[in-house]
Amino acid sequence: MKSKQALPGLILVIIGIYYLSQQFAFSLPYTEIVLKWPSILFLIGMILSWQGFSNKDDSKMFSGIVLLGLGTLFHGIHTFGYWNYNWPYFTLIISFAFFMKYFVNKRDGITPAIILLLISASALFLPQLIARYQNLMTGYESYWPVILIIIGIYLLFFKKR
């Protein structure tokens, strides 16, 4: 199969199967989920990712992963109600796209991928980490002057110059 003809060919086959099933009054399973608009993003993302991976084309891989991630995110929001429109999800999708771009060509993309992943992870998990830290420190907040005194004594008497 030629990679340039894969996208239009697959789209035509899917459209043909859908209309043929409509003519014979045959209901396809999960059509209420599959025939929503995020599925178009998901399908095009899958095809572009496959073409980018098989042809070692990092630009197709990047755009395919972005569309695949957006399709998954929007299905999660609209169809299943899992997520919401928080900005860290979008930076996480772009981070995964940069990681896949790096894995295809091994040249560039790893630095923005790691930076965006750290930004996304900190934005998604920082409120939980702060709450755990505050719960942990509730009993120890009155001891900080003692710690300062101990550090001061160490600096005065035990630190070698």
Side-chain angles (χ1 to χ4, degrees), residues 41-96:
L41 294 176
F42 187 84
L43 179 68
I44 294 172
M46 286 288 287
I47 293 169
L48 284 175
S49 299
W50 174 66
Q51 285 181 342
F53 186 72
S54 63
N55 296 338
K56 302 287 186 194
D57 186 2
D58 58 343
S59 62
K60 281 187 182 179
M61 177 60 78
F62 184 83
S63 18
I65 294 296
V66 167
L67 288 175
L68 182 68
L70 288 175
T72 304
L73 177 68
F74 292 142
H75 259 304
I77 292 171
H78 295 289
T79 307
F80 304 115
Y82 290 149
W83 302 300
N84 50 15
Y85 286 107
N86 286 341
W87 66 267
Y89 294 129
F90 296 103
T91 56
L92 187 65
I93 290 169
I94 296 171
S95 171
F96 286 148

